[in-house]
Amino acid sequence: MTPEAATEAIEIDVHLRADGGVTMEREVRLGLTAKPKELAPKYFYDERGSRLFEQITELPEYYPTRAERQILAARSVEIVAAAGEPGTLVELGSGSAAKTRHLLDAMRDAGCLATYVPVDISEEITHATARSLVEEYRGLSVRGLVCDFEQDLERIPNGGDGRLVAFLGGTIGNLYPEPRRRFLTRIGALLEPGDRILLGTDLVKERSRLEAAYDDSEGVTAEFNKNVLLVLNRRLGGDFDPEMFEHVARYDSEAARMDIRLRSLAKQTVRLDGLDLTVRFAAGEEMRTEISSKFTREGLEGVYREAGLRPDGWFTDSAGDYALSLASV
Ligand code: AVJ
């Protein structure tokens, strides 16, 4: 394709709100003054945090990324058939679209591939991904959306040629049940009859494997967890000393989720100038930084139904560790 034709095949809308970090300030203040203290996992992902997460995905103990890739590599043809051979693939949190190529390949081979809609918070990555994909897939049109998809879901375009809305990586596991139900309900509201959502979810398994996956022997996950403190230091003028906290990763079998926290190693006071806030930690006090929910097939089917969606496809890796599921309205 000539560069001119490639440019025409790409259209990317940017809807980033410049709120000057007011949302973060409000959320962090609420979290640090709550009992117990809590921070939202989205703050892990500055440049260093994203790099650390990439490293996590390559750890021997952290199986979800490999399991999801295995399913996509082995089952994309079936997934695309079960999804009714959609013309449009929408991907929430597309990033570099590394795993997405399996789905795009299957759509191309089925002869249905027309449009890819990457939805991501990073404008740079979305442009780069769009450029590579129009080179790799002849005739593909990319209609990207740069936004926080939790806020701007309703901007996702509809080509009327059948859509598969993929939300991969297991990120849905970060949501508590009520926000998760609201999120899935909003996705359902976007879908037309015949459209599908494709959701990646980690599955319930033995405590030992789950806890190892979130507390690896090299300590990468511990670094990733403590990185949120450095993000607060930089963005909110904090003076957290990450060495004064330890990483805690416990499986809560009752709630079926990993419960990830930072535990204060001593009685200490932390100052956040940007919030004009002083925060006291008792020795041993724990602050939650993330939940990562684990599902059973029955449990997830219930989650879909509560959001008004109908489960209609289930694909796991050979070990049964992870699932990609389809649902429709
Ligand atoms: C990116 C949210 C799917 O929950 O497994 C990995 C994040 N946290 N190790 C997960 C994570 C600690 C990950 N998700």
Side-chain angles (χ1 to χ4, degrees), residues 31-72:
L32 290 178
T33 54
K35 280 184 196 164
K37 297 182 179 66
E38 179 156 5
L39 294 170
K42 65 179 170 199
Y43 298 122
F44 286 139
Y45 301 93
D46 65 345
E47 230 180 273
R48 176 167 182 266
S50 302
R51 242 191 352 261
L52 285 166
F53 179 67
E54 283 299 312
Q55 266 177 266
I56 287 174
T57 65
E58 286 161 19
L59 293 168
E61 296 97 332
Y62 192 78
Y63 57 85
T65 310
R66 278 187 299 276
E68 186 177 67
R69 199 182 301 126
Q70 187 198 114
I71 303 167
L72 287 167

Short mmCIF file of all heavy atoms in Angstrom, two decimals, residues 31-72:
data_model
loop_
_atom_site.label_atom_id
_atom_site.label_comp_id
_atom_site.label_asym_id
_atom_site.label_seq_id
_atom_site.Cartn_x
_atom_site.Cartn_y
_atom_site.Cartn_z
N GLY A 31 -9.25 7.53 48.72
CA GLY A 31 -8.68 6.23 49.05
C GLY A 31 -7.77 6.25 50.26
O GLY A 31 -7.78 5.33 51.07
N LEU A 32 -6.99 7.32 50.38
CA LEU A 32 -6.02 7.38 51.48
C LEU A 32 -6.64 7.82 52.80
O LEU A 32 -6.04 7.65 53.85
CB LEU A 32 -4.86 8.33 51.12
CG LEU A 32 -3.91 7.83 50.02
CD1 LEU A 32 -2.84 8.89 49.73
CD2 LEU A 32 -3.24 6.52 50.41
N THR A 33 -7.86 8.38 52.73
CA THR A 33 -8.52 8.77 53.97
C THR A 33 -9.62 7.77 54.35
O THR A 33 -10.28 7.93 55.36
CB THR A 33 -9.13 10.20 53.86
OG1 THR A 33 -9.97 10.25 52.71
CG2 THR A 33 -8.03 11.24 53.70
N ALA A 34 -9.80 6.74 53.51
CA ALA A 34 -10.81 5.72 53.80
C ALA A 34 -10.27 4.72 54.83
O ALA A 34 -9.07 4.66 55.07
CB ALA A 34 -11.20 4.99 52.52
N LYS A 35 -11.17 3.96 55.43
CA LYS A 35 -10.77 2.88 56.34
C LYS A 35 -11.43 1.59 55.88
O LYS A 35 -12.65 1.51 55.94
CB LYS A 35 -11.21 3.20 57.78
CG LYS A 35 -10.27 4.15 58.47
CD LYS A 35 -10.71 4.34 59.92
CE LYS A 35 -10.04 5.57 60.54
NZ LYS A 35 -10.70 6.01 61.76
N PRO A 36 -10.69 0.58 55.43
CA PRO A 36 -9.24 0.59 55.23
C PRO A 36 -8.85 1.40 54.00
O PRO A 36 -9.67 1.64 53.12
CB PRO A 36 -8.93 -0.90 55.03
CG PRO A 36 -10.20 -1.49 54.51
CD PRO A 36 -11.31 -0.71 55.11
N LYS A 37 -7.57 1.78 53.94
CA LYS A 37 -7.05 2.56 52.81
C LYS A 37 -7.05 1.71 51.54
O LYS A 37 -6.86 0.50 51.59
CB LYS A 37 -5.63 3.04 53.12
CG LYS A 37 -5.52 4.00 54.31
CD LYS A 37 -4.08 4.44 54.49
CE LYS A 37 -3.89 5.41 55.64
NZ LYS A 37 -4.15 4.82 56.98
N GLU A 38 -7.23 2.41 50.41
CA GLU A 38 -7.26 1.68 49.13
C GLU A 38 -6.87 2.61 47.99
O GLU A 38 -7.19 3.80 48.00
CB GLU A 38 -8.69 1.15 48.89
CG GLU A 38 -8.85 0.41 47.58
CD GLU A 38 -10.01 -0.59 47.59
OE1 GLU A 38 -10.75 -0.66 48.58
OE2 GLU A 38 -10.14 -1.32 46.58
N LEU A 39 -6.14 2.06 47.01
CA LEU A 39 -5.78 2.81 45.80
C LEU A 39 -6.28 2.05 44.59
O LEU A 39 -6.33 0.82 44.60
CB LEU A 39 -4.26 2.99 45.70
CG LEU A 39 -3.59 3.85 46.78
CD1 LEU A 39 -2.07 3.75 46.69
CD2 LEU A 39 -4.04 5.31 46.65
N ALA A 40 -6.62 2.75 43.50
CA ALA A 40 -7.13 2.09 42.29
C ALA A 40 -5.96 1.54 41.46
O ALA A 40 -4.94 2.21 41.30
CB ALA A 40 -7.93 3.08 41.46
N PRO A 41 -6.12 0.32 40.93
CA PRO A 41 -5.02 -0.32 40.18
C PRO A 41 -4.62 0.43 38.91
O PRO A 41 -3.52 0.22 38.41
CB PRO A 41 -5.57 -1.72 39.85
CG PRO A 41 -7.03 -1.66 40.10
CD PRO A 41 -7.27 -0.56 41.08
N LYS A 42 -5.47 1.30 38.40
CA LYS A 42 -5.08 2.00 37.16
C LYS A 42 -3.84 2.86 37.38
O LYS A 42 -3.11 3.14 36.42
CB LYS A 42 -6.22 2.84 36.61
CG LYS A 42 -6.65 3.97 37.48
CD LYS A 42 -7.78 4.76 36.82
CE LYS A 42 -8.37 5.74 37.80
NZ LYS A 42 -9.69 6.22 37.44
N TYR A 43 -3.55 3.23 38.63
CA TYR A 43 -2.37 4.08 38.88
C TYR A 43 -1.06 3.31 38.85
O TYR A 43 0.01 3.91 38.95
CB TYR A 43 -2.55 4.86 40.18
CG TYR A 43 -3.75 5.77 40.11
CD1 TYR A 43 -4.80 5.67 41.02
CD2 TYR A 43 -3.86 6.71 39.08
CE1 TYR A 43 -5.92 6.48 40.93
CE2 TYR A 43 -4.98 7.53 38.97
CZ TYR A 43 -6.00 7.40 39.90
OH TYR A 43 -7.11 8.20 39.79
N PHE A 44 -1.09 1.99 38.71
CA PHE A 44 0.16 1.23 38.54
C PHE A 44 0.89 1.62 37.26
O PHE A 44 2.10 1.53 37.16
CB PHE A 44 -0.14 -0.28 38.39
CG PHE A 44 -0.55 -0.98 39.64
CD1 PHE A 44 -1.57 -1.92 39.60
CD2 PHE A 44 0.11 -0.76 40.84
CE1 PHE A 44 -1.94 -2.61 40.74
CE2 PHE A 44 -0.26 -1.45 41.99
CZ PHE A 44 -1.29 -2.37 41.94
N TYR A 45 0.09 1.99 36.23
CA TYR A 45 0.61 1.93 34.85
C TYR A 45 1.18 3.24 34.31
O TYR A 45 0.71 3.76 33.32
CB TYR A 45 -0.48 1.40 33.92
CG TYR A 45 -0.96 0.02 34.31
CD1 TYR A 45 -2.06 -0.16 35.15
CD2 TYR A 45 -0.28 -1.11 33.87
CE1 TYR A 45 -2.48 -1.43 35.52
CE2 TYR A 45 -0.70 -2.38 34.23
CZ TYR A 45 -1.80 -2.53 35.06
OH TYR A 45 -2.22 -3.79 35.42
N ASP A 46 2.22 3.77 34.98
CA ASP A 46 3.02 4.78 34.29
C ASP A 46 4.02 4.01 33.42
O ASP A 46 3.86 2.80 33.24
CB ASP A 46 3.71 5.73 35.31
CG ASP A 46 4.75 5.01 36.16
OD1 ASP A 46 4.76 3.76 36.18
OD2 ASP A 46 5.56 5.69 36.81
N GLU A 47 5.02 4.70 32.89
CA GLU A 47 5.93 4.00 31.98
C GLU A 47 6.63 2.83 32.66
O GLU A 47 6.68 1.72 32.13
CB GLU A 47 6.96 4.99 31.44
CG GLU A 47 7.08 4.92 29.94
CD GLU A 47 8.10 5.92 29.44
OE1 GLU A 47 7.69 7.06 29.20
OE2 GLU A 47 9.29 5.55 29.31
N ARG A 48 7.14 3.07 33.89
CA ARG A 48 7.84 2.01 34.59
C ARG A 48 6.87 0.88 34.96
O ARG A 48 7.19 -0.30 34.82
CB ARG A 48 8.52 2.57 35.85
CG ARG A 48 9.20 1.51 36.70
CD ARG A 48 10.10 2.13 37.76
NE ARG A 48 10.79 1.08 38.52
CZ ARG A 48 10.34 0.58 39.68
NH1 ARG A 48 9.20 1.04 40.20
NH2 ARG A 48 11.02 -0.35 40.30
N GLY A 49 5.67 1.25 35.40
CA GLY A 49 4.68 0.24 35.77
C GLY A 49 4.29 -0.62 34.57
O GLY A 49 4.12 -1.84 34.72
N SER A 50 4.13 0.00 33.41
CA SER A 50 3.77 -0.77 32.22
C SER A 50 4.90 -1.73 31.84
O SER A 50 4.66 -2.86 31.42
CB SER A 50 3.48 0.15 31.04
OG SER A 50 2.43 1.03 31.40
N ARG A 51 6.14 -1.26 32.00
CA ARG A 51 7.29 -2.12 31.72
C ARG A 51 7.33 -3.29 32.70
O ARG A 51 7.56 -4.43 32.33
CB ARG A 51 8.58 -1.30 31.83
CG ARG A 51 9.33 -1.24 30.53
CD ARG A 51 10.74 -0.68 30.62
NE ARG A 51 11.20 -0.09 31.84
CZ ARG A 51 11.23 1.22 32.11
NH1 ARG A 51 10.80 2.08 31.22
NH2 ARG A 51 11.68 1.65 33.27
N LEU A 52 7.09 -2.99 33.99
CA LEU A 52 7.08 -4.06 34.99
C LEU A 52 5.96 -5.07 34.70
O LEU A 52 6.15 -6.28 34.85
CB LEU A 52 6.93 -3.48 36.40
CG LEU A 52 8.21 -2.81 36.94
CD1 LEU A 52 7.89 -1.97 38.19
CD2 LEU A 52 9.28 -3.86 37.27
N PHE A 53 4.80 -4.56 34.26
CA PHE A 53 3.73 -5.51 33.93
C PHE A 53 4.13 -6.40 32.76
O PHE A 53 3.88 -7.61 32.79
CB PHE A 53 2.39 -4.81 33.64
CG PHE A 53 1.33 -5.81 33.28
CD1 PHE A 53 0.87 -6.72 34.22
CD2 PHE A 53 0.85 -5.90 31.99
CE1 PHE A 53 -0.06 -7.70 33.89
CE2 PHE A 53 -0.07 -6.87 31.64
CZ PHE A 53 -0.53 -7.76 32.59
N GLU A 54 4.79 -5.81 31.75
CA GLU A 54 5.30 -6.63 30.63
C GLU A 54 6.20 -7.74 31.16
O GLU A 54 6.12 -8.88 30.71
CB GLU A 54 6.09 -5.76 29.64
CG GLU A 54 5.24 -4.90 28.73
CD GLU A 54 4.32 -5.74 27.86
OE1 GLU A 54 4.80 -6.71 27.25
OE2 GLU A 54 3.11 -5.43 27.82
N GLN A 55 7.06 -7.39 32.12
CA GLN A 55 7.96 -8.39 32.72
C GLN A 55 7.17 -9.47 33.45
O GLN A 55 7.52 -10.65 33.39
CB GLN A 55 8.90 -7.72 33.73
CG GLN A 55 10.24 -7.32 33.16
CD GLN A 55 11.07 -6.60 34.23
OE1 GLN A 55 11.04 -5.38 34.29
NE2 GLN A 55 11.76 -7.35 35.07
N ILE A 56 6.10 -9.06 34.14
CA ILE A 56 5.25 -10.03 34.86
C ILE A 56 4.72 -11.07 33.88
O ILE A 56 4.73 -12.27 34.17
CB ILE A 56 4.08 -9.30 35.57
CG1 ILE A 56 4.58 -8.53 36.79
CG2 ILE A 56 2.98 -10.29 35.98
CD1 ILE A 56 3.54 -7.67 37.47
N THR A 57 4.30 -10.61 32.70
CA THR A 57 3.67 -11.54 31.75
C THR A 57 4.65 -12.60 31.25
O THR A 57 4.24 -13.60 30.67
CB THR A 57 3.09 -10.80 30.51
OG1 THR A 57 4.16 -10.20 29.78
CG2 THR A 57 2.10 -9.74 30.91
N GLU A 58 5.94 -12.39 31.49
CA GLU A 58 6.93 -13.37 31.06
C GLU A 58 7.43 -14.25 32.20
O GLU A 58 8.28 -15.12 32.00
CB GLU A 58 8.10 -12.65 30.38
CG GLU A 58 7.70 -12.14 28.99
CD GLU A 58 8.61 -11.05 28.45
OE1 GLU A 58 9.74 -10.92 28.96
OE2 GLU A 58 8.18 -10.34 27.53
N LEU A 59 6.94 -14.01 33.41
CA LEU A 59 7.40 -14.81 34.57
C LEU A 59 6.86 -16.24 34.47
O LEU A 59 5.74 -16.45 34.04
CB LEU A 59 6.87 -14.20 35.87
CG LEU A 59 7.43 -12.83 36.27
CD1 LEU A 59 6.58 -12.25 37.40
CD2 LEU A 59 8.89 -12.94 36.69
N PRO A 60 7.66 -17.22 34.93
CA PRO A 60 7.17 -18.60 34.92
C PRO A 60 5.88 -18.78 35.74
O PRO A 60 5.00 -19.54 35.34
CB PRO A 60 8.33 -19.41 35.54
CG PRO A 60 9.31 -18.42 36.05
CD PRO A 60 9.05 -17.11 35.37
N GLU A 61 5.75 -18.03 36.84
CA GLU A 61 4.57 -18.21 37.71
C GLU A 61 3.30 -17.56 37.13
O GLU A 61 2.20 -17.94 37.49
CB GLU A 61 4.80 -17.58 39.09
CG GLU A 61 5.91 -18.22 39.91
CD GLU A 61 7.22 -17.44 39.78
OE1 GLU A 61 7.44 -16.78 38.72
OE2 GLU A 61 8.02 -17.48 40.73
N TYR A 62 3.47 -16.55 36.28
CA TYR A 62 2.31 -15.80 35.79
C TYR A 62 1.81 -16.41 34.48
O TYR A 62 2.28 -16.09 33.39
CB TYR A 62 2.64 -14.32 35.62
CG TYR A 62 1.42 -13.45 35.41
CD1 TYR A 62 0.60 -13.08 36.49
CD2 TYR A 62 1.06 -13.02 34.14
CE1 TYR A 62 -0.53 -12.30 36.30
CE2 TYR A 62 -0.08 -12.24 33.94
CZ TYR A 62 -0.87 -11.89 35.02
OH TYR A 62 -1.99 -11.13 34.83
N TYR A 63 0.81 -17.28 34.59
CA TYR A 63 0.31 -18.05 33.44
C TYR A 63 -0.75 -17.34 32.59
O TYR A 63 -0.96 -17.74 31.44
CB TYR A 63 -0.29 -19.39 33.96
CG TYR A 63 -1.38 -19.10 34.96
CD1 TYR A 63 -2.67 -18.84 34.54
CD2 TYR A 63 -1.08 -18.96 36.31
CE1 TYR A 63 -3.65 -18.45 35.43
CE2 TYR A 63 -2.05 -18.57 37.21
CZ TYR A 63 -3.33 -18.32 36.77
OH TYR A 63 -4.28 -17.92 37.64
N PRO A 64 -1.51 -16.33 33.11
CA PRO A 64 -2.68 -15.87 32.33
C PRO A 64 -2.37 -15.39 30.92
O PRO A 64 -3.11 -15.72 29.98
CB PRO A 64 -3.27 -14.74 33.19
CG PRO A 64 -2.83 -15.04 34.58
CD PRO A 64 -1.44 -15.61 34.42
N THR A 65 -1.30 -14.63 30.75
CA THR A 65 -1.00 -14.08 29.42
C THR A 65 -0.69 -15.20 28.42
O THR A 65 -1.19 -15.20 27.29
CB THR A 65 0.18 -13.10 29.50
OG1 THR A 65 -0.07 -12.17 30.55
CG2 THR A 65 0.39 -12.36 28.19
N ARG A 66 0.12 -16.15 28.86
CA ARG A 66 0.44 -17.28 27.97
C ARG A 66 -0.81 -18.10 27.65
O ARG A 66 -1.01 -18.54 26.52
CB ARG A 66 1.50 -18.19 28.62
CG ARG A 66 2.92 -17.69 28.47
CD ARG A 66 3.92 -18.72 29.00
NE ARG A 66 3.75 -19.01 30.42
CZ ARG A 66 4.28 -18.28 31.40
NH1 ARG A 66 5.01 -17.22 31.12
NH2 ARG A 66 4.09 -18.60 32.65
N ALA A 67 -1.63 -18.32 28.68
CA ALA A 67 -2.85 -19.12 28.47
C ALA A 67 -3.77 -18.43 27.46
O ALA A 67 -4.30 -19.07 26.55
CB ALA A 67 -3.57 -19.33 29.80
N GLU A 68 -3.93 -17.13 27.59
CA GLU A 68 -4.81 -16.40 26.67
C GLU A 68 -4.25 -16.45 25.25
O GLU A 68 -5.00 -16.63 24.28
CB GLU A 68 -4.99 -14.96 27.13
CG GLU A 68 -6.01 -14.22 26.28
CD GLU A 68 -6.25 -12.81 26.78
OE1 GLU A 68 -5.31 -11.97 26.69
OE2 GLU A 68 -7.35 -12.52 27.27
N ARG A 69 -2.92 -16.30 25.13
CA ARG A 69 -2.30 -16.35 23.81
C ARG A 69 -2.51 -17.73 23.19
O ARG A 69 -2.79 -17.86 22.00
CB ARG A 69 -0.81 -16.03 23.94
CG ARG A 69 -0.18 -15.62 22.63
CD ARG A 69 1.33 -15.36 22.77
NE ARG A 69 1.66 -14.34 23.74
CZ ARG A 69 2.50 -14.49 24.76
NH1 ARG A 69 3.13 -15.64 24.96
NH2 ARG A 69 2.75 -13.50 25.58
N GLN A 70 -2.39 -18.77 24.02
CA GLN A 70 -2.60 -20.14 23.52
C GLN A 70 -4.02 -20.32 22.98
O GLN A 70 -4.21 -20.89 21.91
CB GLN A 70 -2.33 -21.17 24.64
CG GLN A 70 -2.35 -22.61 24.15
CD GLN A 70 -2.52 -23.63 25.31
OE1 GLN A 70 -3.53 -24.32 25.40
NE2 GLN A 70 -1.51 -23.70 26.18
N ILE A 71 -5.00 -19.80 23.71
CA ILE A 71 -6.39 -19.93 23.25
C ILE A 71 -6.57 -19.21 21.92
O ILE A 71 -7.15 -19.75 20.97
CB ILE A 71 -7.39 -19.36 24.28
CG1 ILE A 71 -7.22 -20.04 25.64
CG2 ILE A 71 -8.83 -19.53 23.78
CD1 ILE A 71 -7.96 -19.32 26.77
N LEU A 72 -6.06 -17.98 21.84
CA LEU A 72 -6.23 -17.21 20.60
C LEU A 72 -5.53 -17.88 19.43
O LEU A 72 -6.06 -17.91 18.32
CB LEU A 72 -5.72 -15.78 20.79
CG LEU A 72 -6.63 -14.90 21.66
CD1 LEU A 72 -5.91 -13.61 22.05
CD2 LEU A 72 -7.94 -14.59 20.94
#
